[in-house]
Amino acid sequence: MGEGWQLLRVRGIPLRIHPTWFLILFAATLVFERQYRLILATTLPEGGLWLVALATALLLFVSVVLHELGHALVALSQGVRVRSITLFLLGGVASVERECPTALGALAVALAGPLVSLALAVALLAAVHPAAHQSAVLGEMVTRLGWLNLVLALFNLLPGLPLDGGLVVKALVWQFTGSRRRGLVVANGCGRFLSFLALGLGSVLLLRGGGLSGAWLMLLGWFGLGAARNQSQVLQVQQALREIRVKDVCRRRFRVLEASTTLRQLSRLEPITPGGLAATSLDPVRPPESGPASRPASASVDPLADWLLVCDRGRWRGFIDPSILQELPVQRWDSEAVGDHIHPLAALPSIAESAPLWQAVLQMDQPERPRLLVLGPAGLPTGTLERPEVAEAVLKKIGLRLPTQLLATAREQNGYPLGLALAQVVRSMLAAGEVQLPEGLAAEGTPPPSATGP
């Protein structure tokens, strides 16, 4: 949907307006003007009718903002960060960083919005008589806003995603079964049924001359089906991240050099891509078979370049950063070897080849970790893993294939194609208890110990 334009901040939460909001503002103003014309045509002039209609439409969306603020403030009380509240074509949406870690917390967040709308409806309808006593125009405005808030509360409580009622269903099923995933499946199925029902009723209304009401129902049904499809894909992505192992996806973005290789020979390696290295006459060394590891401080290395790993007569020694050539005078290139300037392998972020992909996503959720060194059962390098490879494997698992050019662009940028928020998906899995961090792996993605030769 996009972020839209930010108007202000409420309790640190950005309030945004999406361009499509102006369409619904215009439509609501048009509807209110027609309604007021039937009742207040003798009371207000032409321009006055339009101003009152516009004011009613704006106040209605203030009610929508208060509805979403209800969700947002309760979410904050549950320790969930709220990214923004956005008004768009179909109303408003509060974007949260992750879901509540408990079913009861999720239930409280889901109910907060409808309860705010219900409270507004009761307050406005109770104020109809005093308002009408002050002015017939004010009485009509308060009446409409009161009933519309009641409709907003009841409509959002319909039991299907993406409505609040669907979130209530999910939270209740989650609470009684202990499975967040089962709650999501049930609520998503209810949402799909309601979406087909809205499409059907909207079609009937259009055929019977319902016009705007029929089109609105069909639009809601179409939006609901899209949301249900997205939820199904999220479930499939989560399953793929749990089932696929690193060893099924990793490639090899490193070369192996002998420690005795001189810096002059290192300088003759020919680049083929930005940060890449072409094959040369240097014979690759077969990786050694065993060896323990040590953990030093991390070293700087080009995030896009092929890693250069170093062996010494069949034993892993570490890796070398080619930027050393820029730091040393050319006169020393012949007398000094690669082995004189190595960093331990443990300075590179790493992951076991038997680990599930979600752990790799978590570890690469940092700009300085665009690639992981994949370690075999003995803790020795067997390959590398990058974000584009993870995304391609997940999308293939759920039956989606991206164009070659799009994947190539993702590899050049070493990012997830289509802006896939895999890290956010993993964090939601952790928050819901669907996966557990292994011992020694921190939530921010601290890598497990690596290994070098003896």
Side-chain angles (χ1 to χ4, degrees):
M1 187 179 66
E3 294 186 342
W5 301 298
Q6 180 173 324
L7 292 182
L8 49 89
R9 285 179 174 268
V10 181
R11 294 282 301 272
I13 304 170
L15 175 61
R16 305 179 186 276
I17 290 182
H18 192 265
T20 58
W21 176 77
F22 291 98
L23 297 176
I24 192 59
L25 177 65
F26 172 76
T29 302
L30 184 62
V31 169
F32 288 136
E33 192 276 337
R34 289 180 178 178
Q35 293 174 353
Y36 287 139
R37 183 178 295 276
L38 296 175
I39 302 171
L40 304 173
T42 59
T43 306
L44 291 174
E46 181 73 21
L49 290 172
W50 283 104
L51 286 176
V52 172
L54 177 60
T56 306
L58 290 174
L59 288 173
L60 174 61
F61 281 102
V62 170
S63 301
V64 173
V65 171
L66 293 176
H67 175 107
E68 297 302 331
L69 273 175
H71 290 304
L73 295 179
V74 175
L76 289 174
S77 72
Q78 296 292 323
V80 178
R81 177 175 170 268
V82 181
R83 289 197 177 96
S84 64
I85 294 175
T86 304
L87 293 176
F88 72 118
L89 180 63
L90 297 179
V93 59
S95 174
V96 296
E97 185 178 58
R98 59 180 175 84
E99 191 177 16
C100 289
T102 65
L104 293 180
L107 180 62
V109 173
L111 288 174
L115 288 178
V116 169
S117 296
L118 186 59
L120 286 173
V122 171
L124 288 167
L125 291 175
V128 168
H129 182 70
H133 184 71
Q134 294 292 326
S135 165
V137 175
L138 182 60
E140 289 295 331
M141 286 182 63
V142 171
T143 300
R144 274 167 175 71
L145 289 171
W147 285 110
L148 285 171
N149 272 279
L150 181 60
V151 170
L152 181 63
L154 297 178
F155 175 78
N156 273 280
L157 286 174
L158 290 175
L161 291 175
L163 299 175
D164 297 334
L167 296 175
V168 170
V169 170
K170 182 179 75 171
L172 290 175
V173 175
W174 179 7
Q175 175 67 21
F176 286 107
T177 66
S179 171
R180 173 185 171 274
R181 183 180 181 85
R182 183 173 299 176
L184 186 55
V185 169
V186 172
N188 202 40
C190 293
R192 188 178 293 108
F193 170 77
L194 290 177
S195 299
F196 280 119
L197 183 62
L199 286 172
L201 291 177
S203 301
V204 172
L205 286 176
L206 278 178
L207 293 175
R208 294 186 175 182
L212 185 60
S213 298
W216 185 249
L217 272 177
M218 293 187 69
L219 181 61
L220 289 174
W222 171 80
F223 177 77
L225 285 178
R229 181 174 62 252
N230 290 341
Q231 289 288 352
S232 297
Q233 289 179 344
V234 169
L235 290 174
Q236 293 174 350
V237 167
Q238 292 176 344
Q239 184 175 357
L241 289 171
R242 285 194 299 265
E243 293 180 351
I244 302 176
R245 299 292 160 178
V246 169
K247 63 182 177 182
D248 302 324
V249 181
C250 67
R251 298 184 181 179
R252 177 165 170 157
R253 283 294 307 274
F254 68 77
R255 300 184 59 218
V256 185
L257 302 177
E258 269 287 354
S260 58
T261 301
T262 65
L263 296 183
R264 178 74 65 183
Q265 290 175 300
L266 177 65
S267 70
R268 291 171 182 168
L269 296 176
E270 299 178 3
I272 55 175
T273 61
L277 295 171
T280 67
S281 58
L282 294 173
D283 294 330
V285 178
R286 184 178 299 277
E289 297 299 330
S290 61
S294 60
R295 176 161 294 284
S298 60
S300 172
V301 65
D302 184 352
L304 295 180
D306 287 350
W307 284 338
L308 296 177
L309 307 189
V310 180
C311 281
D312 183 10
R313 290 166 291 186
R315 298 169 57 193
W316 288 110
R317 290 286 307 278
F319 74 96
I320 184 169
D321 186 348
S323 64
I324 189 67
L325 297 174
Q326 301 173 3
E327 302 172 4
L328 296 176
V330 178
Q331 292 80 0
R332 295 171 57 180
W333 288 7
D334 290 314
S335 59
E336 297 189 20
V338 165
D340 300 325
H341 302 279
I342 59 174
H343 304 281
L345 282 181
L348 297 175
S350 58
I351 189 169
E353 65 177 13
S354 59
L357 273 192
W358 69 263
Q359 292 184 17
V361 171
L362 193 63
Q363 288 188 233
M364 288 190 288
D365 188 28
Q366 300 181 42
E368 68 274 13
R369 287 182 180 171
R371 182 186 306 150
L372 299 177
L373 185 65
V374 179
L375 305 177
L380 303 175
T382 60
T384 57
L385 185 67
E386 298 180 344
R387 297 187 185 106
E389 297 155 6
V390 173
E392 186 176 3
V394 169
L395 292 174
K396 183 179 179 181
K397 179 74 172 180
I398 67 176
L400 295 179
R401 293 186 179 275
L402 297 181
T404 304
Q405 184 58 42
L406 188 60
L407 289 172
T409 302
R411 290 192 181 97
E412 290 176 2
Q413 300 173 349
N414 203 348
Y416 296 122
L418 300 177
L420 288 175
L422 294 183
Q424 183 177 345
V425 173
V426 171
R427 285 193 292 270
S428 70
M429 294 165 64
L430 286 169
E434 296 183 9
V435 292
Q436 300 293 329
L437 284 173
E439 187 176 354
L441 182 64
E444 65 271 13
T446 304
S450 338
T452 57

